Amino acid sequence: MGENIVGDKPDTQMKPLGDSGILLQFGTEISPDVHEEVKAFTDCIEANSFPGFIECVPAFTSVTIFYSPLLVFQMYKGKGKPEDLSPYSIVQSILQERLKSLHTSKRREKRVVDIPVCYGGELGPDLEAVAKYHQLTPEEVIDIHSQAEYLVYMIGFAPGFPYLGGMSEQIATPRHSSPRLSIPAGSVGIAGMQTGVYPISTPGGWQIIGRTPINLFYPDKNPPTLLTSGDIVRFKPISIEEYKEYKETVL
Amino acid sequence: MSLRVERPGMLTSLQDLGRYGYQKYGVVVSGAMDSISLSIANLLVGNKENEAGLEMTLMGGSFLVEEDLLIAVTGGDLAPVIEEESIPLWRPVWIKKGSLLRFRASRSGCRTYMAVAGGFDVQEVLGSKSTYLRGELGGLKGRALSAGDKLTCGGAAHRFQHLKSSAGAISFAATAWHVNPEPFINLKETVIRVIRGGEFDYFTESSRDRFFKEDFRITPNSDRMGYRMEGTPLEMTDSFELLSEPVTNGTIQVPKDGNPIILLADRQTTGGYPKIAQVATVDLPLLAQKKPGEIVRFKEISLAEAEQLYLRQELQLEKLKAGLSLKVDETA
């Protein structure tokens, strides 16, 4: 893919996330092209931010910009009556300007990361239910899940949690209707068309089909995560013995 | 200067104003649940407002003061005492070494903040001293305080030396003046102001209506990550799966069971449940002071109103900061 001008795209929508965030939507479907736009806009804003900018968070089809309304207000307060100045509108027009000059970059060489997973049993309590939901055998679900190559679209939810694209529709399964209070670190899950790995123990609503013994989050490194947006992930099925062996050698 | 933890209380952790800049790596922001109370506690002892302080929840801890210490306690009232003598809130307090500072059960609010002059001496992790309990990150070894912990403090006890002399033989002395918290946080208020969330229109008309008219109870399954609320379950017009996208402090999302969850300080960075509303930043400290079991009601305001309320509060805090810095410098 070559250079591609994104500016003035009619489908780029902005909406507030509370009174100190703004979400830019580049599309409604997960796709590598939308991912490139999201990445390009993230890079552009980080390289050329504005007074009051705090950080931006790329997602599947959107980028959210967090800002300090006070700093934005103080930077522009000479330019109108305080009650007429909306930090949201100010940030919105800054972002509109940035969009006009946005170019997506050429596709880079992608890093491939293999993640070993022990599927089913105690480590994957929802594997049977996912299989049943699709009238497949658990082995078929494992095959489908581990034969794909996944693009890391975003990191979010918890430190180092990768949201992966490229999962087969054959095993897409809705989330639990109420999230579990605790899911162990390393759990591999499915939610709708998404799949991912929980790097730390946290509540969550995904269908858990297996667990990896490897670590995805390193707080003393920068960046602090095994995976970053744009990487390729492959899941490698391992036995419970291999899982335990790996855990023991690391500990 | 140092403090020894005799009893940690129900949940006591070190918190500053949060760990920003790493949300794109999924690193949770954390920070004080009631950021206004922490900021004011810090300003009262001459710290920068984003210095780390202790956040205690519902039942406070007890601390042996090993060297003379200057503190300020703000937020909810967890009834701090030294030898049965109450420590007043919202003002600088000098404490003599050897004193046992005890906090008890909540008399009002849910969380109390204690700042010490010079701040607490712990390593920053990814730019912040805040404790993220689930990720075992920051603060004191990434965990809540426990009995026997020793906390070293930065110093700056030279401030308010006149309090030491006015204390005489007594264990502590406080200034006669204090900061009035009411313009910043009125603990009796039960109405939480919100703006519409990104998926507001996906809820049925009667659910949208009920959201602003009916009571919601904060369930016991609530913590620093979020408050799980209970009321008449809210319904969507159609069931749909949302692509995960960023959420923030005060985002109110509704899972399929229809009971809203308000995401708070230790919230995940992104979420996939539909967002019915977003708590106005100005009311986040008030919400954080509500206890499990308490009832709140949501009131809709516009984005413009939320912005104006926020700016007014921040400008008020700036004014307070200027006023306090004069008082604190005078006493240096």
Side-chain angles (χ1 to χ4, degrees):
Chain A
M1 192 177 81
E3 291 258 306
N4 181 16
I5 296 173
V6 178
D8 291 328
K9 271 180 68 104
D11 56 345
T12 304
Q13 291 188 349
M14 298 194 199
K15 57 183 180 182
L17 178 61
D19 49 30
S20 51
I22 179 165
L23 183 140
L24 279 78
Q25 185 104 39
F26 288 91
T28 51
E29 302 272 321
I30 301 175
S31 86
D33 287 346
V34 174
H35 170 74
E36 288 300 325
E37 290 177 21
V38 163
K39 234 179 139 30
F41 190 74
T42 304
D43 293 346
C44 156
I45 268 302
E46 284 183 339
N48 184 15
S49 68
F50 56 89
F53 171 82
I54 295 174
E55 62 185 301
C56 67
V57 186
F60 280 116
T61 60
S62 62
V63 181
T64 298
I65 314 287
F66 290 102
Y67 56 90
S68 155
L70 180 69
L71 293 183
V72 171
F73 169 76
Q74 282 172 340
M75 208 52 66
Y76 289 85
K77 69 179 168 189
K79 297 176 184 164
K81 282 185 283 178
E83 57 272 25
D84 296 338
L85 272 185
S86 156
Y88 176 78
S89 317
I90 294 168
V91 174
Q92 197 180 29
S93 53
I94 294 171
L95 299 181
Q96 248 141 17
E97 279 305 304
R98 297 281 199 285
L99 271 177
K100 280 186 193 156
S101 54
L102 187 67
H103 295 249
T104 53
S105 57
K106 291 194 174 70
R107 259 182 218 176
R108 296 157 296 270
E109 190 72 10
K110 299 208 188 297
R111 197 170 64 115
V112 179
V113 183
D114 285 336
I115 296 183
V117 182
C118 176
Y119 287 95
E122 247 174 75
L123 305 182
D126 297 325
L127 178 66
E128 298 271 348
V130 168
K132 216 177 231 171
Y133 186 88
H134 296 284
Q135 291 163 344
L136 295 169
T137 64
E139 291 68 33
E140 285 171 322
V141 173
I142 296 172
D143 279 350
I144 294 167
H145 191 260
S146 61
Q147 273 166 17
E149 288 204 338
Y150 299 93
L151 173 63
V152 178
Y153 276 92
M154 60 187 274
I155 305 286
F157 179 69
F161 186 106
Y163 284 86
L164 305 171
M167 193 183 73
S168 166
E169 208 163 326
Q170 286 174 280
I171 53 172
T173 315
R175 292 176 174 83
H176 288 287
S177 57
S178 180
R180 279 197 177 100
L181 293 178
S182 179
I183 288 178
S187 292
V188 176
I190 290 176
M193 283 292 291
Q194 309 172 78
T195 182
V197 189
Y198 284 87
I200 61 167
S201 174
T202 156
W206 292 34
Q207 307 282 350
I208 304 305
I209 59 169
R211 202 184 298 173
T212 177
I214 66 172
N215 209 345
L216 279 81
F217 177 55
Y218 312 90
D220 46 357
K221 290 188 183 157
N222 197 3
T225 52
L226 171 70
L227 301 169
T228 51
S229 165
D231 288 344
I232 296 288
V233 165
R234 295 182 304 198
F235 292 111
K236 298 281 159 202
I238 56 168
S239 65
I240 183 75
E241 289 75 27
E242 287 171 297
Y243 176 91
K244 283 180 182 157
E245 200 176 308
Y246 190 98
K247 276 285 190 195
E248 274 161 23
T249 49
V250 174
L251 296 173
Chain B
M1 296 200 293
S2 61
L3 274 179
R4 205 176 69 216
V5 181
E6 298 283 310
R7 277 187 303 114
M10 188 182 270
L11 175 63
T12 302
S13 66
L14 279 162
Q15 298 294 342
D16 58 22
L17 293 183
R19 182 169 287 111
Y20 288 94
Y22 299 92
Q23 289 191 80
K24 68 172 171 175
Y25 298 117
V27 177
V28 167
V29 174
S30 299
M33 290 278 280
D34 171 356
S35 56
I36 286 280
S37 293
L38 175 67
S39 297
I40 295 176
N42 274 319
L43 296 174
L44 281 165
V45 294
N47 293 346
K48 289 200 172 109
E49 63 197 289
N50 63 347
E51 185 51 68
L54 292 184
E55 178 182 272
M56 290 174 241
T57 313
L58 286 170
M59 170 67 84
S62 20
F63 307 91
L64 183 67
V65 176
E66 296 185 320
E67 280 159 84
D68 290 4
L69 198 63
L70 182 72
I71 66 162
V73 180
T74 60
D77 186 358
L78 300 193
V81 294
I82 289 176
E83 296 160 12
E84 304 308 317
E85 196 77 34
S86 289
I87 302 281
L89 273 61
W90 303 97
R91 69 193 84 203
V93 180
W94 173 86
I95 303 178
K96 189 160 87 178
K97 76 171 185 188
S99 308
L100 184 66
L101 170 63
R102 289 188 297 140
F103 291 78
R104 295 183 291 195
S106 160
R107 278 202 293 233
S108 70
C110 183
R111 293 160 225 277
T112 209
Y113 292 86
M114 182 169 102
V116 299
F120 288 98
D121 193 14
V122 293
Q123 204 77 44
E124 284 190 354
V125 177
L126 300 171
S128 163
K129 293 179 179 176
S130 278
T131 315
Y132 173 42
L133 297 162
R134 279 198 177 83
E136 295 172 15
L137 202 67
L140 192 72
K141 300 170 194 154
R143 58 168 171 79
L145 299 190
S146 60
D149 285 342
K150 195 179 165 114
L151 296 168
T152 49
C153 320
H158 57 282
R159 293 198 161 108
F160 295 97
Q161 277 300 303
H162 67 285
L163 288 177
K164 182 178 183 171
S165 37
S166 76
I170 302 165
S171 302
F172 70 91
T175 56
W177 55 269
H178 73 287
V179 168
N180 176 14
E182 281 215 349
F184 296 102
I185 183 166
N186 174 5
L187 296 180
K188 292 194 187 87
E189 182 59 66
T190 58
V191 173
I192 302 294
R193 290 166 289 191
V194 302
I195 56 181
R196 289 183 181 198
E199 286 74 51
F200 182 81
D201 293 336
Y202 292 79
F203 288 85
T204 62
E205 202 183 329
S206 78
S207 289
R208 284 183 266 164
D209 219 41
R210 278 205 315 269
F211 184 70
F212 295 118
K213 282 195 182 131
E214 291 184 2
D215 288 343
F216 285 90
R217 197 177 68 94
I218 303 168
T219 73
N221 254 339
S222 296
D223 58 14
R224 283 180 43 86
M225 184 174 180
Y227 278 4
R228 286 172 181 249
M229 311 297 285
E230 207 172 60
T232 316
L234 302 167
E235 286 161 6
M236 313 276 297
T237 47
D238 277 311
S239 110
F240 77 112
E241 287 287 324
L242 186 68
L243 293 177
S244 287
E245 60 182 39
V247 290
T248 190
N249 202 353
T251 298
I252 308 181
Q253 56 176 24
V254 184
K256 285 199 186 110
D257 65 10
N259 287 317
I261 298 173
I262 312 180
L263 299 174
L264 295 168
D266 281 355
R267 66 197 173 273
Q268 69 271 24
T269 57
T270 56
Y273 290 116
K275 302 174 283 296
I276 192 168
Q278 172 71 42
V279 177
T281 301
V282 73
D283 278 351
L284 287 169
L286 171 64
L287 183 63
Q289 291 295 353
K290 297 291 170 207
K291 301 178 198 130
E294 285 192 299
I295 299 286
V296 297
R297 202 165 268 213
F298 299 113
K299 183 190 171 194
E300 185 181 8
I301 58 172
S302 67
L303 172 61
E305 282 174 280
E307 289 182 319
Q308 290 303 318
L309 288 166
Y310 173 80
L311 290 176
R312 212 180 300 157
Q313 186 188 60
E314 283 295 306
L315 295 172
Q316 210 156 15
L317 196 62
E318 297 271 300
K319 242 186 257 173
L320 178 71
K321 202 193 284 186
L324 279 177
S325 78
L326 286 176
K327 273 193 188 300
V328 173
D329 286 348
E330 260 169 34
T331 60

